[in-house]
Amino acid sequence: MLKTENIYHIHTLENGLKVVIRQSDSKVSYIGALINAGSRDEMPELQGLAHFVEHTIFKGTLKRKSWHISNRMESIGGELNAYTTKEETMIYTNAPAGYADRSFQLIADLLRNAQFPAPEIEREKEVVIEEIHSYQDSPSDLVFDEFEERIYAGSALAHNILGTEETVRKLTSENAREFIKAKYFAENIVLYCDDPGDPDTNLKKIRRYFSDIATTGTSNKRIAPFLVAPFDEIIDNKNYQANCIMGCSLFSRNDPGRHAMFLLNNYLGGPCMNSRLNMELRDRRGLVYTVESNIALMSDTGVMSIYFGTDPRSVKKCRKLILSEIDRLAQNRMSSRKFAQVRDQYCGQLIVGGEHRESRAMSMAKSLLYYGEVHDIDYTAERIRSLSAEDLRMAAEQLAANPLSCLNIQ
């Protein structure tokens, strides 16, 4: 029988593959496989392999040619896609309801039978290399990779997800097949299904297609990065604009203080126009076009970063204003009325964001992988509403206590 957590049906197949199913009222089916493997799980000499496997897994299986794979979902108006991060890979589909069987069958075939034919591999190398070049031509993107290279220096987290042109050109079909065998095993995978079909019927289909995936492979022996000394660096690329990141290392995604830090991040530099840094740097002073703060938490570490783009002559002023705002939040507890507004805004954003069904479906798999249970919008909102103004101040105090490193590409 399925284990049910409210509307989430959670099951573990006999081979260890975890499944989360949500019966929706949508006319669209969202199905995907989340693999607990990313760029930090590559060998040093094979940088870019995890991302390259994600690109080329669609290039042929024992049963299907590349054109057959690409046409399988698109021919019914759906989509087959994938992405890679430093710790995970997602292979996913969306399609009109009624085609769940097709999605399960295709994803299972890719996980079990991807062949990485050499001619396709060589062509795709050029595609990935062009992707690398496109990032190098965009300083607002490049600064994030360069910042992580420095703040995670000496660890497997430091290198770019895409790899370099040199490492990509060295990758082979055998490298890709070995990575699949080592990392794409059942105990390392969560399968999600957000579909209007009967959950028990979908579970039977999942068993049919995924039960013979190998149970174990090579476990991820991840080594947490050491803290690096604060840095302050300028890369002069003769650009018109300065693209800057200020940031510091944080705790992992399992830390109990994460919800307070998420709330602080949203208030400080979240996506809304009334974020503190947007009001101070853009609306009141006209110093920037964009300013935003971000938190990226992983299994054993994390980072908070604040990005802004400005005239090179205004960098010092922007930095001073950012530090001043963090210090103000650390030293002064927010009024109850103001804190309630900040908290309610974030919870409202969670509700609005939850209307994006595909993201919600992917989040089911991520929280099951990370926490062993589904942490949905209601779960997160409950934790946010349990916070106090003092929790927010203490999060700011923690941030203020860490000297912020800075990287400026201009």
Side-chain angles (χ1 to χ4, degrees):
M1 288 293 292
L2 291 166
K3 175 185 176 184
T4 305
E5 293 185 359
N6 299 322
I7 57 174
Y8 304 102
H9 305 270
I10 298 173
H11 192 81
T12 301
L13 301 188
E14 288 72 13
N15 60 356
L17 188 144
K18 293 173 284 293
V19 178
V20 55
I21 301 172
R22 179 182 180 272
Q23 187 173 18
S24 72
D25 58 358
S26 175
K27 295 181 180 180
V28 179
S29 173
Y30 302 100
I31 294 170
L34 176 65
I35 300 98
N36 185 23
S39 61
R40 75 177 301 187
D41 303 308
E42 304 159 344
M43 298 296 289
E45 67 273 16
L46 299 175
Q47 291 181 9
L49 178 58
H51 173 259
F52 192 69
V53 166
E54 171 238 304
H55 259 247
T56 55
I57 197 170
F58 304 131
K59 297 305 179 181
T61 70
L62 292 173
K63 298 180 178 180
R64 294 177 171 89
K65 299 292 186 182
S66 176
W67 67 267
H68 191 182
I69 293 169
S70 61
N71 194 51
R72 186 65 175 157
M73 302 309 299
E74 279 78 356
S75 64
I76 57 170
E79 179 188 18
L80 171 66
N81 212 333
Y83 71 76
T84 308
T85 71
K86 290 183 183 287
E87 290 198 328
E88 66 188 39
T89 303
M90 182 82 84
I91 300 169
Y92 60 95
T93 66
N94 59 52
Y99 289 97
D101 192 81
R102 181 180 293 220
S103 293
F104 292 138
Q105 186 184 55
L106 180 58
I107 293 172
D109 189 30
L110 295 172
L111 295 178
R112 294 195 316 252
N113 302 314
Q115 292 300 292
F116 306 99
E120 297 277 7
I121 288 287
E122 292 306 312
R123 281 192 291 269
E124 199 63 21
K125 285 181 182 180
E126 301 306 318
V127 173
V128 174
I129 289 167
E130 285 305 309
E131 187 177 359
I132 292 170
H133 291 165
S134 72
Y135 272 84
Q136 293 171 341
D137 285 341
S138 175
S140 61
D141 292 323
L142 180 63
V143 68
F144 284 90
D145 287 333
E146 294 287 343
F147 182 81
E148 289 191 345
E149 183 177 313
R150 287 157 178 77
I151 205 161
Y152 290 135
S155 81
L157 286 167
H159 71 267
N160 189 307
I161 291 170
L162 302 180
T164 67
E165 180 172 352
E166 180 183 8
T167 59
V168 169
R169 290 202 182 279
K170 292 179 180 178
L171 299 179
T172 67
S173 299
E174 185 61 26
N175 294 149
R177 286 191 290 267
E178 288 176 354
F179 191 79
I180 287 278
K181 183 178 180 181
K183 304 300 180 183
Y184 285 43
F185 57 93
E187 292 181 350
N188 224 27
I189 298 173
V190 173
L191 188 81
Y192 71 85
C193 172
D194 188 293
D195 178 78
D198 174 66
D200 286 305
T201 300
N202 277 326
L203 180 61
K204 290 178 182 177
K205 295 175 180 178
I206 291 168
R207 275 207 177 100
R208 182 191 315 158
Y209 294 119
F210 293 88
S211 290
D212 61 350
I213 290 178
T215 299
T216 60
T218 303
S219 61
N220 295 334
K221 296 179 180 178
R222 293 168 177 166
I223 301 174
F226 295 105
L227 289 176
V228 299
F231 53 87
D232 191 345
E233 186 175 343
I234 297 175
I235 300 176
D236 189 0
N237 285 350
K238 311 300 181 185
N239 297 319
Y240 174 78
Q241 186 183 56
N243 293 270
C244 301
I245 287 186
M246 301 171 65
C248 62
S249 296
L250 278 184
F251 40 68
S252 76
R253 65 170 67 98
N254 294 299
D255 193 279
R258 66 186 183 278
H259 296 293
M261 194 63 74
F262 286 144
L263 183 60
L264 173 65
N265 176 72
N266 193 66
Y267 175 65
L268 190 63
C272 291
M273 294 178 66
N274 67 346
S275 74
R276 287 302 305 164
L277 294 182
N278 193 68
M279 296 289 290
E280 289 295 321
L281 273 64
R282 176 174 169 158
D283 288 1
R284 293 181 181 172
R285 294 176 172 83
L287 293 172
V288 302
Y289 176 70
T290 300
V291 58
E292 62 184 38
S293 62
N294 299 281
I295 291 178
L297 302 183
M298 285 173 278
S299 58
D300 53 10
T301 188
V303 65
M304 183 173 186
S305 61
I306 298 168
Y307 164 81
F308 61 93
T310 189
D311 187 286
R313 294 169 296 182
S314 300
V315 170
K316 288 184 179 180
K317 189 172 185 179
C318 289
R319 289 176 59 174
K320 183 178 179 180
L321 289 167
I322 290 169
L323 293 174
S324 177
E325 192 61 36
I326 293 171
D327 287 340
R328 185 185 67 82
L329 290 168
Q331 295 171 17
N332 301 284
R333 184 187 302 173
M334 195 175 287
S335 71
S336 298
R337 182 178 178 180
K338 177 62 177 177
F339 178 74
Q341 293 173 346
V342 170
R343 184 186 58 198
D344 291 346
Q345 177 178 348
Y346 188 37
C347 290
Q349 289 172 244
L350 290 173
I351 293 170
V352 172
E355 286 298 297
H356 191 284
R357 292 175 180 265
E358 186 165 54
S359 295
R360 183 178 63 188
M362 291 178 174
S363 293
M364 296 191 309
K366 292 179 183 180
S367 60
L368 183 57
L369 176 65
Y370 301 154
Y371 305 113
E373 58 187 15
V374 175
H375 292 177
D376 60 8
I377 293 167
D378 292 337
Y379 176 96
T380 304
E382 181 181 347
R383 269 68 188 170
I384 296 298
R385 293 193 182 281
S386 71
L387 297 173
S388 67
E390 177 62 10
D391 292 322
L392 186 65
R393 190 201 66 77
M394 290 175 64
E397 186 176 63
Q398 181 179 3
L399 186 60
N402 290 321
L404 297 188
S405 294
C406 185
L407 178 65
N408 173 6
I409 298 181
Q410 62 183 38

